[in-house]
Amino acid sequence: IDATAGPGRSGLAVFKDDAVFSSATAQWLFLTCLPGLGRTRRRELLTEFPDLPQMLSMNAATLRAVGMTADAMAAIQAWQKQDDAHPAIREVRTILHDCQKHAVGILTWEDTHYPEQLRHIHDAPLVLFTRGDTELLARDQIGIIGSRKATPAGLDHARRFAAELSARDLMVTSGLALGVDGAAHAGALDAGYPTVAVIGCGLDRVYPHQHCRLGERVVADGLMISEYPPGTPARAAHFPQRNRIISGLSRGVLVVEAGLRSGSLITARMALEQGREVFAIPGSVHSPVARGCHHLIKQGARLVETVEDILEELGAWWSPPLANEAAGTPEPKPGGKGPLAGLDGREIAVFEALGYDPQSTDALSSATGLPADQLMQSLLLLELQGLVSSAPGGFQKIA
């Protein structure tokens, strides 16, 4: 039997040994623990078989027919036999035990608190681990990101924008990293507003260690989430994955300071892929942590001087993904294989309109039929992926 713990703390549960196999939460955890399957394949299986209990009850012939790997088939058959000796089932029980031990909640794909805006991104996590108030996930959010080696001016910008945006009903979301991230969380909290921190490790620990106290404040007055179960250490590969959640939760992403090789530019690219707006604060031409922001602005990101710049842009263009779907907007088509893999139709059209000699944005807008703002977003995405470059006279292919 699942015993949940009150409003806003969804997912905190106690499981009796004989109830795990019938628990919806445990079934979703088991899906994430199936060996031999990546996240993409798990999502494909859910598209083919949206009824998870039915999928977990399929016989061996059916599982083989849908292309299930041998290791995944063996795990599902062990689940059907309630064989606790199987490693995947032991892993599920360990996660449940650790979540209970550390007061970590579990949000699954079918949970009512699962954030709707995140649900519509590519590669959305099927399970989120939480500490804090999950009802905050229904609020409109703005991502604030930037350099871990921010200047004093950058830290001040992050705090001030976080406080002012929070006061205007946009909840600040960031990654709890050193520098801009931490300043943004602190700015919102110091002003008396909640904030959301997305981290790249288990919620039984805080990374970096220097932000342990800040993490406690986030949990007490806001929400900390991760797609990684308790006990998972911070690893370099986790942070790009974490970034897609930050942008996926947000209506737009504000880049405060960033170098040209900053991970913040990766988050900006993900935001564009997800249909979010990108904002950037300009800085000194002599500052290495301003060059990434200047690069984004050159490629179409909104130059930001005040909070009003952000609110004006969001109010002009943004609508929830569900509203677009209800209106019949088609899903973007993947770009197939090769360098265009993963791009939607708009980026492919822009790439195909380019040549190896520079073309002006006016010529590209005429060739593609795209308005200037959408064209610049597509060009920025293509440039961040190393497919095009800016040049005197416009843009050209480099791939």
Side-chain angles (χ1 to χ4, degrees):
I1 298 173
D2 292 10
T4 58
R9 304 283 161 165
S10 174
L12 295 179
V14 176
F15 294 88
K16 295 181 179 179
D17 286 345
D18 58 355
V20 168
F21 294 96
S22 61
S23 159
T25 298
Q27 289 169 355
W28 283 98
L29 286 174
F30 180 67
L31 178 60
T32 67
C33 295
L34 278 178
L37 298 180
R39 285 196 303 266
T40 300
R41 182 56 183 147
R42 293 187 184 107
R43 290 289 305 276
E44 290 172 350
L45 287 171
L46 282 177
T47 300
E48 297 171 22
F49 307 100
D51 187 333
L52 181 57
Q54 179 186 15
M55 186 178 76
L56 296 180
S57 65
M58 290 177 179
N59 60 36
T62 305
L63 292 171
R64 192 176 298 109
V66 300
M68 195 74 72
T69 66
D71 288 343
M73 284 178 54
I76 292 173
Q77 290 173 324
W79 179 269
Q80 293 169 355
K81 297 174 184 177
Q82 300 189 10
D83 179 7
D84 278 319
H86 192 279
I89 298 175
R90 290 205 307 268
E91 185 176 358
V92 170
R93 288 198 180 275
T94 297
I95 292 172
L96 292 171
H97 174 270
D98 290 345
C99 286
Q100 293 165 19
K101 177 181 178 181
H102 298 288
V104 172
I106 304 171
L107 287 183
T108 71
W109 185 257
E110 64 182 4
D111 195 291
T112 56
H113 285 93
Y114 191 99
E116 196 63 31
Q117 64 274 29
L118 185 64
R119 192 186 299 276
H120 294 273
I121 72 167
H122 170 70
D123 199 18
L126 298 179
V127 173
L128 290 171
F129 299 93
T130 69
R131 290 186 64 201
D133 187 355
T134 56
E135 291 183 352
L136 295 172
L137 291 172
R139 296 261 308 272
D140 289 337
Q141 299 173 49
I142 181 79
I144 298 183
I145 57 175
S147 175
R148 287 174 171 81
K149 298 179 180 179
T151 66
L155 297 175
D156 181 66
H157 289 326
R159 294 189 190 97
R160 180 169 57 84
F161 272 85
E164 293 184 19
L165 288 165
S166 296
R168 303 295 290 272
D169 294 327
L170 279 171
M171 190 168 60
V172 169
T173 298
S174 195
L176 203 68
L178 296 175
V180 167
D181 288 22
H185 291 304
L189 292 167
D190 291 345
Y193 297 99
T195 181
V196 174
V198 186
I199 66 173
C201 59
L203 293 179
D204 56 327
R205 60 192 72 197
V206 172
Y207 180 87
H209 179 73
Q210 297 95 311
H211 278 172
C212 282
R213 173 59 186 145
L214 179 59
E216 292 172 1
R217 293 181 65 196
V218 170
V219 170
D221 297 320
L223 177 67
M224 187 181 296
I225 65 176
S226 175
E227 65 178 319
Y228 302 105
T232 306
R235 296 190 178 98
H238 292 174
F239 294 99
Q241 299 301 321
R242 174 205 63 180
N243 293 348
R244 85 189 193 284
I245 297 177
I246 294 173
S247 56
L249 288 170
S250 304
R251 291 176 56 171
V253 172
L254 171 64
V255 184
V256 176
E257 287 185 335
L260 286 174
R261 294 188 176 183
S262 171
S264 298
L265 297 190
I266 298 175
T267 310
R269 174 176 60 80
M270 291 177 174
L272 290 173
E273 290 175 343
Q274 295 162 358
R276 276 48 169 175
E277 187 58 279
V278 175
F279 307 95
I281 298 176
S284 168
V285 295
H286 304 294
S287 172
V289 293
R291 289 173 185 162
C293 291
H294 294 168
H295 175 78
L296 292 172
I297 293 167
K298 288 177 183 177
Q299 304 308 317
R302 176 67 184 261
L303 186 153
V304 169
E305 294 177 315
T306 69
V307 165
E308 296 301 329
D309 295 327
I310 295 173
L311 299 177
E312 176 186 340
E313 191 74 15
L314 290 179
W317 77 274
W318 187 83
S319 60
L322 283 182
N324 292 335
E325 291 177 8
T329 301
E331 289 279 336
K333 295 181 179 180
K337 298 180 180 180
L340 302 185
L343 298 179
D344 67 20
R346 191 174 75 185
E347 276 69 55
I348 294 171
V350 173
F351 183 81
E352 291 178 344
L354 283 163
Y356 292 96
D357 294 320
Q359 295 187 57
S360 69
T361 53
D362 287 342
L364 288 170
S365 182
S366 177
T368 61
L370 292 173
D373 59 339
Q374 293 184 16
L375 175 65
M376 293 308 297
Q377 286 186 3
S378 296
L379 286 168
L380 171 60
L381 177 58
L382 290 167
E383 184 168 11
L384 289 173
Q385 292 195 332
L387 298 175
V388 308
S389 66
S390 58
F395 293 83
Q396 62 189 37
K397 287 182 181 180
I398 57 175

